[in-house]
């Protein structure tokens, strides 16, 4: 009952499509072999959107499993039984994942099944192929039996088409599974072996059709791997489409991120030019996108946004990524021995209203956060007192103070020159 329903709903329409394609192309070329080639090309073209969709899901599953694998391994090594189950469930929930999503890795194979059944149902019983020849194939309606080899008291027919089909399958698998897990590689190669067994004694016309399907798949895989960024097609619109899983990454954001990331390489340290002043403007925080947690690095598709009340706030991601890059730069200055005698000022050019953050920030007595003040942070020269005490430059033991005095951006030069220039004044307010 279920099998009949499946055949009527899915297989039968596919058989009709293959039949129409064959009859139309046969009327044009009057050659069964060329008609099979045209049918294979038409079916491959029609199924391309399905395969692209399946590959996106498979790639998402691979990225997610790769990101979660270290945590899962650690949890399984420490916890057992119900405790392990509960902690793994929490991990999956925090990363918007469910173990059933692992089925996404098999979607590509599942798509092939109905098309294979439909082709087998139609082509293996197509009378028009009987006695029809094509290229070196003498009869498309029977196994090609290119030659025979003695076996016991008889002979064993060697069918070259199924062997060629398997070789193409393996070549496509080697290219497609580059960088994949061993499990995925074994799955694809096992399918190649299974099709060899199933089709070895099938009519040459059916094997020719399926071999050509694999050839077109091989060409597609080669183009995707070498020319089109593995199916991403290096599309800016694709990266900006956060609803489809894209992070929102654009060439501008890549450039802004790279500037901060390359600050150590762009910084020249010399002993011949003391008292230097350097200023740079960071654009990264102006373009909120999602970054890959926990390191908050840029990705085409972010599979882990982290946890906490701000996990789904892209502006939070951008700020964390920015400060992570700045922390990396400060470590560089420390390693080079210039952090102590460097005054560092981080200042925002404007503040921001609280939305969409207010609902994520609990305030006492049902208060509401109206806005965020512009950020203004100063790391001054390390004092002789803390240096004599052996306090590390980046230690939390250093004094930290807060000042809510109203200031403008024009006050930054005054603070930057304090103790360096004599009587510095704000050029706009004339305040000292």
């Amino acid at each position: 009952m279920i099998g009949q329903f499946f055949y009527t709903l899915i297989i039968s329409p596919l058989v009709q499509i293959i039949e129409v394609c064959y009859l139309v192309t046969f009327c044009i070329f009057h050659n069964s072999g060329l008609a099979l080639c045209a049918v294979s090309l038409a079916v491959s073209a029609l199924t391309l959107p399905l395969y692209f969709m399946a590959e996106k899901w498979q790639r998402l599953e691979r990225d997610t499993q790769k990101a979660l694998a270290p945590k899962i391994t650690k949890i399984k090594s420490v916890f057992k039984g119900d405790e392990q189950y509960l902690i793994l469930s929490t991990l999956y929930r925090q990363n918007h994942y469910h173990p059933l999503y692992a089925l996404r890795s098999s979607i590509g194979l599942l798509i092939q099944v109905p098309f294979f059944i439909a082709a087998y149902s139609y082509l293996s019983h197509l009378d028009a192929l009987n006695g029809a020849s094509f290229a070196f194939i003498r009869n498309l309606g029977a196994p090609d039996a290119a030659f025979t080899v003695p076996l016991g008291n008889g002979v064993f027919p060697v069918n070259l088409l199924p062997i060629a089909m398997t070789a193409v399958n393996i070549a496509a698998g080697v290219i497609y599974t580059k960088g994949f897990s061993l499990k995925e590689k074994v799955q694809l190669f096992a399918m190649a072996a299974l099709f060899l067994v199933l089709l070895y004694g099938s009519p040459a016309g059916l094997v020719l059709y399926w071999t050509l399907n694999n050839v077109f798949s091989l060409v597609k895989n080669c183009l995707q791997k070498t020319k089109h960024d593995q199916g991403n097609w290096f599309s800016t619109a694709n990266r900006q489409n956060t609803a489809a899983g894209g992070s929102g990454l654009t060439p501008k954001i890549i450039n802004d991120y790279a500037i901060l990331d390359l600050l150590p390489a762009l910084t020249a340290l010399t002993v011949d030019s003391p008292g230097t002043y350097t200023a740079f403007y960071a654009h990264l925080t102006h373009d909120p996108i999602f970054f890959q947690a926990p390191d908050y690095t840029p990705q085409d598709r972010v599979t882990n946004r982290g946890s906490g009340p701000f996990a789904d706030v892209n502006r939070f991601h951008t700020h964390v990524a920015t400060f992570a890059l700045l922390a990396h730069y400060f470590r560089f200055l420390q390693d080079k021995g210039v952090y102590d005698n460097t005054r560092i000022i981080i200042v925002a050019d404007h503040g921001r209203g609280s939305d969409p953050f207010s609902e994520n920030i609990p305030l006492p007595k049902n208060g509401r956060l109206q806005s965020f003040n512009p950020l203004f942070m100063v790391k001054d020269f390390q004092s002789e007192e803390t240096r004599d005490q052996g306090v590390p430059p980046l230690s939390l033991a250093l004094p930290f103070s807060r000042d809510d005095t109203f200031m403008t951006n024009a006050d930054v030069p005054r603070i930057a020159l304090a103790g360096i220039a004599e009587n510095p004044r704000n050029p706009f307010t004339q305040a000292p």
Side-chain angles (χ1 to χ4, degrees):
M1 183 70 179
I2 296 178
Q4 183 64 35
F5 177 78
F6 174 76
Y7 187 90
T8 303
L9 183 66
I10 299 178
I11 305 301
S12 183
L14 295 179
V15 172
Q16 298 299 318
I17 292 174
I18 293 175
E19 182 179 10
V20 169
C21 289
Y22 176 83
L23 294 176
V24 170
T25 52
F26 183 81
C27 290
I28 296 174
F29 299 111
H30 302 287
N31 184 290
S32 295
L34 291 177
L36 288 174
C37 295
V39 170
S40 178
L41 179 60
V43 172
S44 297
L46 289 173
T47 56
L48 269 180
L50 293 177
Y51 280 111
F52 286 146
M53 179 184 66
E55 286 170 3
K56 286 182 179 180
W57 288 347
Q58 289 172 314
R59 185 165 54 250
L60 178 61
E61 176 63 22
R62 286 192 296 270
D63 292 342
T64 302
Q65 290 194 9
K66 183 178 179 180
L68 295 179
K71 297 179 181 179
I72 293 175
T73 302
K74 186 175 182 179
I75 291 172
K76 289 184 176 180
S77 66
V78 176
F79 302 98
K80 302 296 180 183
D82 293 341
E83 193 174 22
Q84 180 189 103
Y85 172 78
L86 291 174
I87 295 176
L88 283 176
S89 298
T90 301
L91 175 67
Y92 293 147
R93 186 173 62 255
Q94 289 175 341
N95 290 274
H96 311 288
Y97 183 76
H98 192 282
L100 288 178
Y101 292 169
L103 295 175
R104 294 181 296 193
S105 62
S106 302
I107 291 177
L109 296 177
L110 294 176
I111 290 177
Q112 295 186 46
V113 172
F115 285 94
F116 173 77
I117 295 175
Y120 189 90
S121 299
Y122 180 70
L123 297 178
S124 61
H125 303 96
L126 185 60
D127 293 335
L129 298 181
N130 292 326
S133 61
F134 180 69
F136 67 91
I137 305 172
R138 295 186 296 272
N139 184 1
L140 290 171
D144 63 276
F147 58 91
T148 59
V149 295
L151 182 65
N153 296 327
V155 294
F156 178 77
V158 177
N159 302 325
L160 290 182
L161 269 179
I163 297 174
M165 175 196 69
T166 305
V168 173
N169 260 339
I170 293 175
V174 169
I175 295 174
Y176 180 72
T177 60
K178 186 177 181 181
F180 286 15
S181 66
L182 179 61
K183 177 183 176 181
E184 291 177 295
K185 292 181 179 181
V186 170
Q187 188 181 51
L188 284 176
F189 294 141
M191 287 297 295
L194 177 62
F195 277 116
L196 174 62
V197 174
L198 291 176
L199 296 180
Y200 189 80
S202 297
L206 172 62
V207 182
L208 174 64
Y209 163 81
W210 201 251
T211 301
L212 290 173
N213 276 9
N214 293 330
V215 170
F216 296 141
S217 178
L218 174 61
V219 173
K220 173 180 67 70
N221 290 343
C222 290
L223 290 175
Q224 283 184 286
K225 289 286 185 177
T226 60
K227 299 296 184 183
H228 296 99
D229 192 27
Q230 303 186 37
N232 289 327
W233 315 99
F234 211 79
S235 166
T236 299
N238 188 25
R239 286 163 165 74
Q240 290 178 316
N241 187 4
T242 55
S247 64
L249 197 61
T250 65
K252 177 183 179 299
I253 294 175
I254 294 175
N255 181 70
D256 294 340
Y257 184 93
I259 291 175
L260 293 176
D261 192 31
L262 294 174
L263 278 179
L266 297 173
T267 302
L269 302 175
T270 65
V271 297
D272 301 327
S273 55
T276 59
Y277 171 80
T278 304
F280 60 88
Y281 184 75
H283 293 262
L284 185 58
T285 54
H286 282 84
D287 297 297
I289 69 167
F290 290 106
F291 286 83
Q292 181 77 8
D295 298 324
Y296 292 90
T297 54
Q299 300 284 340
D300 289 345
R301 287 172 174 78
V302 172
T303 58
N304 181 14
R305 294 184 179 181
S307 58
F310 300 109
D312 294 323
V313 179
N314 53 10
R315 197 171 295 278
F316 170 80
H317 280 241
T318 306
H319 282 72
V320 172
T322 300
F323 276 95
L325 293 172
L326 291 176
H328 174 69
Y329 182 56
F330 298 157
R331 289 289 182 187
F332 163 78
L333 297 179
Q334 182 187 19
D335 293 340
K336 296 300 181 181
V338 298
Y339 183 85
D340 292 7
N341 64 338
T342 301
R343 176 178 286 160
I344 300 174
I345 300 176
I346 303 175
V347 59
D349 56 351
H350 60 79
R352 183 173 177 85
S354 62
D355 292 334
F357 302 97
S358 57
E359 61 184 29
N360 295 319
I361 303 176
L363 295 178
K365 298 182 180 179
N366 298 320
R368 175 179 172 82
L369 184 65
Q370 297 298 324
S371 64
F372 291 97
N373 292 332
L375 178 68
F376 183 51
M377 300 179 69
V378 179
K379 196 290 295 182
D380 213 336
F381 303 113
Q382 188 178 14
S383 66
E384 294 182 4
E385 179 182 357
T386 56
R387 188 181 300 111
D388 294 340
Q389 293 174 357
V391 178
L394 295 181
S395 171
L396 292 176
L398 286 174
F400 181 83
S401 61
R402 173 177 174 175
D403 188 346
D404 291 326
T405 304
F406 175 77
M407 289 179 287
T408 67
N409 285 351
D411 286 294
V412 175
R414 173 181 62 81
I415 296 174
L417 295 173
I420 299 176
E422 186 176 353
N423 299 323
R425 290 181 175 275
N426 186 318
F428 295 98
T429 65
Q430 298 303 314

